[in-house]
Amino acid sequence: PLYELQQPVEDKILALVRGVYGGEGVEYSPKARRMLQQIHDNGWSHLPVCIAKTQYSFSDDPQLLGAARGFTVQVRELIPKTGAGFIVAITGALTTMPGLPRVPAAMHMDVDEHGNAIGLS
């Protein structure tokens, strides 16, 4: 493992940025700093960390293609997923997908006997 679960969340994120992505450091937005405080206050610091970032680069910058080195990752937001047991660090301008409703629209979709899609509206 790159880090011990007992380490502070900031140290875990830095370990991932340096050890996996080849980055140099981490900067936190004011919102992320507030969430760090809440994570510490609520006793969630022991949770592992997952970093959500662009798929185009090891950095958080989709314009910095490939395996860049020496960059600084911008953590915009931290989202504790306490039920799942981890903390998600949202980086850069990444947009996350919304959750599904109780009954997803896909439950009403099908194909009729003629091969036509139904239930798309």
Side-chain angles (χ1 to χ4, degrees):
L2 290 175
Y3 59 77
E4 298 294 327
L5 290 177
Q6 299 78 13
Q7 287 180 265
V9 172
E10 301 91 328
D11 292 351
K12 294 174 192 177
I13 293 171
L14 184 59
L16 291 168
V17 166
R18 288 182 175 166
V20 175
Y21 301 121
E24 187 61 35
V26 180
E27 290 182 2
Y28 295 91
S29 72
K31 181 177 185 177
R33 290 212 172 275
R34 287 190 301 275
M35 281 308 305
L36 273 173
Q37 187 60 51
Q38 288 182 9
I39 288 166
H40 292 304
D41 291 348
N42 287 306
W44 300 328
S45 296
H46 67 284
L47 295 174
V49 172
C50 172
I51 297 181
K53 53 171 237 19
T54 180
Q55 72 269 27
Y56 299 113
S57 172
F58 280 157
S59 77
D60 62 326
D61 180 355
Q63 303 303 315
L64 193 58
L65 300 177
R69 293 277 183 224
F71 54 85
T72 298
V73 170
Q74 307 295 317
V75 175
R76 187 183 81 228
E77 187 175 357
L78 291 163
I79 304 173
K81 303 289 187 179
T82 57
F86 60 93
I87 296 167
V88 179
I90 307 290
T91 66
L94 183 75
T95 302
T96 58
M97 292 178 61
L100 292 174
R102 188 175 302 272
V103 180
M107 299 300 293
H108 304 289
M109 295 177 195
D110 204 349
V111 178
D112 68 15
E113 63 274 359
H114 304 289
N116 299 312
I118 56 173
L120 298 179
S121 57

